[in-house]
């Protein structure tokens, strides 16, 4: 990622400047940021975000025949991504664990490339990847609103977190509990701006400008941000938060209005690739179908029970009288045939419904209450709709 100088105007702007040991801290004595973090500083007055995207202007559809999917190369997100694809019958085959390229046998002509999450976004913009699975926070930070990035699936059900401002619980921040109160603090001036340590130098200035903070300095750093305020090298941090435990253990707190972005893992694509690369749209359709079928089935159970009755209609009426037995579209009622005295008769009907895990025991109790017996329960693996809504949404985004 590079920073370009803003066009001249009457508004203030964002720029880089050298580290300076003479600036203030929460204790009124600034330490050189390089003591703790090898970093650079982004100084913002009115916080014009002037960050350009690598490959953004010159993004292209490169001359290659194979399709490319970028996956995280390491960490929990990498493991969770591989597990999700496996659950969708899209297991990634990696011949050598040290290689950065693999394939998915079920998807012909698709290469899997293991990359750092931020590089996945950059290579989508440059045309070197066609699809990618990363966190929404990474897409937002490194994609920077590029119209060439399309969210194909915005909820893959893992990697949940949020990007948030956190400040110390003590000192001058003890009674500060909202962004409005933070912005009104008289301490922040052009000479002594609020110092925020973060790895999000695009989203941070953009957010602060929207919140009306005029005097802010962003120091870029990776890892151990929670220590920055205690060390006197930042007044606040902007970082990803999952449970909030690490913040609390370091005497930091989130404040009202300080959440920049709610994030989880998403499937993102290059719009140019989807439109122009042969076969990509069909492959994307299959991936969406498999993801949706699996994710919709997570936490759902098939419940089968036998029930005495005079007719399917009478049995269905009894089942539908119970609020948790409606299933996805209603119960399936089928006759159960048995032979008695040489004749085939129907004394029971089989009831098949789909219920969520949290309603499972309640549903079994209700089935018993209306005469159900021999209740069988099994987890659902996939639920395929007539057509996946997200596929229709994607076609709409592409104007197809």
């Amino acid at each position: 990622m590079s920073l370009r100088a803003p066009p001249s105007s009457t508004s203030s702007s964002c720029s880089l400047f050298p580290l300076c040991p003479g600036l203030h801290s929460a204790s009124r004595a600034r330490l050189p940021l390089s003591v703790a973090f090898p970093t650079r500083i982004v100084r913002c007055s009115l916080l014009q975000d002037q960050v350009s995207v690598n490959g953004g202007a010159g993004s292209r559809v490169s001359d290659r025949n194979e399709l490319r999917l970028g996956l995280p190369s390491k960490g929990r997100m990498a493991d969770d991504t591989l597990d999700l694809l496996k659950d969708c019958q899209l297991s990634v085959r990696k011949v050598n664990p040290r290689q950065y390229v693999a394939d998915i046998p079920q998807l012909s002509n698709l290469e899997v490339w293991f990359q750092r999450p931020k590089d996945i976004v950059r290579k989508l913009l440059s045309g070197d990847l066609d699809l990618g699975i990363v966190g929404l926070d990474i897409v937002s930070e490194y994609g920077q609103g590029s119209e060439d990035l399309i969210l194909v699936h915005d909820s893959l059900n893992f990697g949940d977190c949020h990007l948030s401002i956190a400040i110390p619980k003590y000192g001058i921040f003890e009674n500060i509990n909202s962004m409005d109160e933070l912005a009104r603090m008289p301490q922040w001036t052009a000479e002594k701006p609020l110092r925020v340590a973060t790895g999000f130098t695009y989203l941070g200035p953009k957010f602060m400008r929207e919140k009306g903070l005029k005097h802010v300095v962003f120091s870029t750093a990776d890892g151990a941000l929670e220590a920055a305020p205690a060390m006197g090298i930042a007044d606040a941090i902007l970082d990803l938060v999952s449970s909030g435990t690490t913040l609390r253990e370091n005497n930091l707190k989130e404040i009202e209005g300080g959440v920049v972005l709610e994030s989880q893992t998403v499937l993102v694509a290059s719009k140019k690739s989807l439109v122009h690369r042969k076969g990509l749209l069909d492959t994307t359709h299959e991936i969406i179908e498999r993801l949706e079928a699996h994710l919709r089935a997570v936490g759902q159970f098939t419940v089968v029970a036998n029930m005495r009755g005079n007719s399917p209609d009478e049995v269905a009426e009894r089942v539908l009288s119970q609020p948790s037995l409606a299933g996805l579209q209603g119960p399936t009622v089928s006759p159960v045939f048995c032979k008695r005295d040489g004749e085939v008769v129907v004394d029971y009907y089989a009831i098949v419904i789909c219920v969520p895990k949290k309603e499972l025991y309640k549903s079994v109790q209700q089935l018993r209450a209306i005469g159900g017996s021999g209740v069988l329960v099994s987890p659902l693996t996939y639920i395929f709709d007539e057509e996946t809504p997200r596929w229709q949404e994607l076609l709409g985004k592409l104007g197809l």
Side-chain angles (χ1 to χ4, degrees):
M1 183 174 65
S2 61
L3 293 172
R4 66 173 183 265
S8 60
S9 66
T10 56
S11 63
S12 298
S13 61
C14 230
S15 62
L16 294 181
F17 66 92
L19 298 176
C20 176
L23 297 177
H24 82 299
S25 70
S27 61
R28 308 277 66 85
R30 174 182 296 280
L31 298 177
L33 195 57
S34 56
V35 169
F37 304 101
T39 180
R40 68 184 186 276
I41 291 182
V42 183
R43 183 179 183 110
C44 304
S45 297
L46 294 181
L47 301 167
Q48 288 292 113
D49 46 315
Q50 298 289 339
V51 186
S52 64
V53 183
N54 288 347
S59 57
R60 66 197 188 286
V61 178
S62 58
D63 295 330
R64 53 179 165 81
N65 294 322
E66 68 279 358
L67 312 177
R68 289 180 179 174
L69 167 66
L71 299 183
S73 56
K74 61 177 68 175
R76 182 174 178 179
M77 180 175 286
D79 295 336
D80 289 345
T81 299
L82 294 177
D83 289 343
L84 173 63
L85 292 173
K86 183 178 180 180
D87 289 338
C88 297
Q89 301 298 311
L90 294 174
S91 295
V92 175
R93 182 176 61 186
K94 196 174 183 181
V95 178
N96 186 332
R98 295 187 178 184
Q99 288 181 333
Y100 286 92
V101 64
D103 68 351
I104 298 176
Q106 291 79 9
L107 299 175
S108 61
N109 201 37
L110 178 73
E111 292 180 348
V112 174
W113 286 83
F114 293 96
Q115 301 283 301
R116 295 184 303 174
K118 62 184 178 182
D119 289 335
I120 290 175
V121 176
R122 287 167 172 166
K123 289 175 182 178
L124 284 168
L125 290 169
S126 68
D128 296 309
L129 290 174
D130 305 310
L131 298 165
I133 294 180
V134 291
L136 180 60
D137 57 294
I138 299 297
V139 175
S140 302
E141 172 68 18
Y142 293 94
Q144 301 182 8
S146 171
E147 294 182 357
D148 190 46
L149 293 180
I150 290 184
L151 290 183
V152 176
H153 200 298
D154 60 358
S155 181
L156 295 182
N157 288 3
F158 68 94
D160 295 77
C161 59
H162 59 275
L163 182 62
S164 181
I165 292 285
I167 60 175
K169 297 179 180 179
Y170 50 85
I172 62 174
F173 299 103
E174 185 175 359
N175 296 316
I176 302 300
N177 296 299
S178 71
M179 285 298 298
D180 288 340
E181 292 173 350
L182 182 65
R184 290 198 300 267
M185 291 179 70
Q187 284 86 349
W188 319 133
T189 66
E191 294 75 24
K192 295 182 179 181
L194 172 70
R195 296 166 303 140
V196 181
T198 186
F200 293 86
T201 56
Y202 170 75
L203 293 176
K206 182 174 181 290
F207 177 75
M208 288 298 192
R209 186 188 70 230
E210 293 168 353
K211 290 296 182 177
L213 275 84
K214 297 181 179 180
H215 306 298
V216 183
V217 173
F218 285 87
S219 57
T220 64
D222 294 317
L225 293 182
E226 292 84 1
M231 295 179 71
I233 56 180
D235 302 305
I237 68 171
L238 173 62
D239 202 7
L240 294 174
V241 180
S242 294
S243 65
T245 301
T246 305
L247 292 181
R248 291 189 294 271
E249 290 178 347
N250 286 276
N251 290 317
L252 299 176
K253 62 183 178 182
E254 296 183 80
I255 55 178
E256 181 183 347
V259 175
V260 177
L261 177 73
E262 295 287 348
S263 180
Q264 66 171 291
T265 310
V266 298
L267 173 63
V268 64
S270 161
K271 183 176 182 179
K272 289 184 177 68
S273 292
L274 285 172
V275 172
H276 299 293
R277 194 171 302 287
K278 182 180 180 181
L280 180 60
L281 206 54
D282 290 338
T283 296
T284 303
H285 187 194
E286 181 173 348
I287 293 173
I288 293 174
E289 291 268 27
R290 288 175 179 265
L291 288 171
E292 281 289 271
H294 166 68
L295 292 172
R296 193 173 180 206
V298 170
Q300 297 284 341
F301 288 82
T302 299
V303 178
V304 181
N306 289 336
M307 189 177 297
R308 286 186 179 273
N310 297 318
S311 70
D313 291 347
E314 185 258 331
V315 171
E317 186 173 345
R318 263 191 285 162
V319 173
L320 290 173
S321 69
Q322 304 298 314
S324 67
L325 301 181
L328 294 177
Q329 296 173 320
T332 299
V333 181
S334 306
V336 177
F337 298 97
C338 62
K339 199 168 187 179
R340 188 171 63 244
D341 299 329
E343 295 185 0
V344 176
V345 297
V346 176
D347 290 329
Y348 288 89
Y349 289 87
I351 312 303
V352 182
I353 58 173
C354 176
V355 299
K357 183 178 182 179
K358 63 182 179 180
E359 299 287 339
L360 180 58
Y361 185 66
K362 180 180 179 181
S363 299
V364 171
Q365 287 179 311
Q366 290 182 353
L367 276 172
R368 288 171 173 168
I370 59 176
S373 62
V375 180
L376 305 177
V377 178
S378 58
L380 276 170
T381 307
Y382 305 103
I383 299 176
F384 285 94
D385 284 320
E386 183 177 353
E387 184 54 84
T388 306
R390 279 187 171 87
W391 171 245
Q392 296 299 328
E393 292 174 8
L394 177 61
L395 293 181
K397 293 175 182 177
L398 296 174
L400 301 177

